[in-house]
């Protein structure tokens, strides 16, 4: 498949994703909300979006744009999933893989016209007061949801030093939940920062998803919270770099 055809397919699939997000956000979710209330609503729609994004990832695979190689990937519950973030579709791939997962999101996505109703059901906003944020996260983890965090905060560029924000570490200290590092590696700079959306190369692009051993709070002996956050963050970086 030549570069032009691959680029055209990417643009078409992004249009399909946008239309699907509109239908989901403004038709299916509001209609479902009439009959499903409270925690059941989040449970139903998080599972539905998991299935939907797994299907969308499957379409990317079936048309020959990407393939996904999984290593040690297992379903989990009540974990803090920290992942590397090389490309734009990382969250779609991860939610498609891991059921019962919510994602920490930047406030800009909360104002996205296409995504705002979806965000309410599979994302946790980070623009609320700290105490409220902690309570939302604790409730989600206690309800056996995973929380997906990209600790670099933005898409990474190969060769640059990884800068790990301490949010995941602070959340682990506050909740005691295990952190599970997941490495996402891509063998072509597809949908990466400062690259055109339509640049899909001339061959099938491989995403390698590797689930690493959990990082447990009990592994650390440091008592100072500030130093403990630093130690946990350094451990996450070490796992990503190894």
């Amino acid at each position: 498949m030549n570069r032009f055809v691959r680029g055209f397919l990417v643009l078409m699939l992004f249009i399909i994703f946008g239309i699907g997000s509109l239908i989901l956000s403004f038709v299916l979710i509001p209609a479902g909300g009439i009959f499903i209330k409270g925690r059941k609503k989040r449970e139903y729609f998080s599972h539905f979006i998991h299935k939907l994004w797994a299907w969308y990832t499957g379409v990317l695979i079936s048309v020959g744009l990407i393939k996904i190689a999984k290593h040690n990937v297992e379903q989990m519950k009540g974990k803090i999933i920290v992942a590397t973030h090389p490309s734009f579709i990382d969250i779609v791939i991860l939610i498609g893989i891991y059921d019962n997962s919510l994602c920490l999101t930047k406030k800009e996505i909360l104002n996205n016209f296409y995504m705002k109703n979806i965000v309410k059901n599979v994302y946790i906003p980070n623009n609320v007061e700290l105490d409220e944020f902690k309570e939302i996260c604790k409730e989600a983890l206690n309800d056996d949801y995973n929380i997906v965090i990209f600790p670099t905060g933005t898409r990474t560029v190969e060769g640059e030093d990884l800068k790990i924000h301490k949010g995941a570490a602070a959340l682990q200290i506050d909740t005691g939940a295990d952190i599970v590092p997941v490495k996402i590696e891509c063998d072509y700079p597809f949908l990466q920062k400062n690259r055109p959306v339509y640049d899909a190369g001339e061959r099938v692009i491989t995403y390698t998803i590797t689930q690493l051993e959990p990082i447990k709070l009990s592994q650390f002996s440091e008592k100072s919270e500030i130093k403990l956050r630093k130690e946990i963050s350094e451990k996450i970086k070490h796992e990503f770099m190894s």
Side-chain angles (χ1 to χ4, degrees), residues 38-81:
R39 293 185 179 183
K40 282 291 183 182
K41 183 180 177 183
R42 170 173 273 182
E43 179 183 344
Y44 178 82
F45 281 112
S46 67
H47 182 66
F48 180 77
I49 292 168
H50 156 71
K51 292 292 187 184
L52 187 64
W53 286 3
W55 172 83
Y56 186 79
T57 303
V59 173
L60 290 168
I61 294 169
S62 65
V63 300
L65 285 173
I66 69 171
K67 64 180 179 180
I68 296 178
K70 300 177 187 176
H71 298 290
N72 303 318
V73 171
E74 298 178 352
Q75 292 298 323
M76 59 185 107
K77 292 182 178 182
K79 307 297 184 186
I80 302 167
I81 299 174

Side-chain angles (χ1 to χ4, degrees), residues 17-30 41-42 45 49 53 103 105-125 127:
F17 185 84
I19 294 171
S21 295
L22 276 174
I23 294 171
L24 181 61
S25 192
F26 293 101
V27 179
L28 297 181
I29 288 179
K41 183 180 177 183
R42 170 173 273 182
F45 281 112
I49 292 168
W53 286 3
C103 180
T105 183
K106 296 183 291 186
K107 62 182 179 181
E108 288 81 8
I109 298 180
L110 293 168
N111 299 320
N112 184 289
F113 180 74
Y114 293 92
M115 298 290 289
K116 59 183 179 182
N117 282 336
I118 299 174
V119 163
K120 294 176 184 177
N121 292 279
V122 296
Y123 287 77
I124 294 176
N127 65 331

Side-chain angles (χ1 to χ4, degrees), residues 135-153:
E135 191 59 36
I136 293 170
C137 290
K138 282 182 182 178
E139 182 180 289
L141 291 166
N142 289 336
D143 286 343
D144 285 335
Y145 290 100
N146 304 305
I147 297 178
V148 179
I149 298 175
F150 295 113
T152 55

Side-chain angles (χ1 to χ4, degrees), residues 76 79-83 98 178-182 211-215 240:
M76 59 185 107
K79 307 297 184 186
I80 302 167
I81 299 174
V82 294
Y98 294 107
D178 292 347
I179 289 176
V180 180
V182 175
Q211 182 177 314
L212 304 174
E213 289 298 313
I215 300 171
F240 284 166

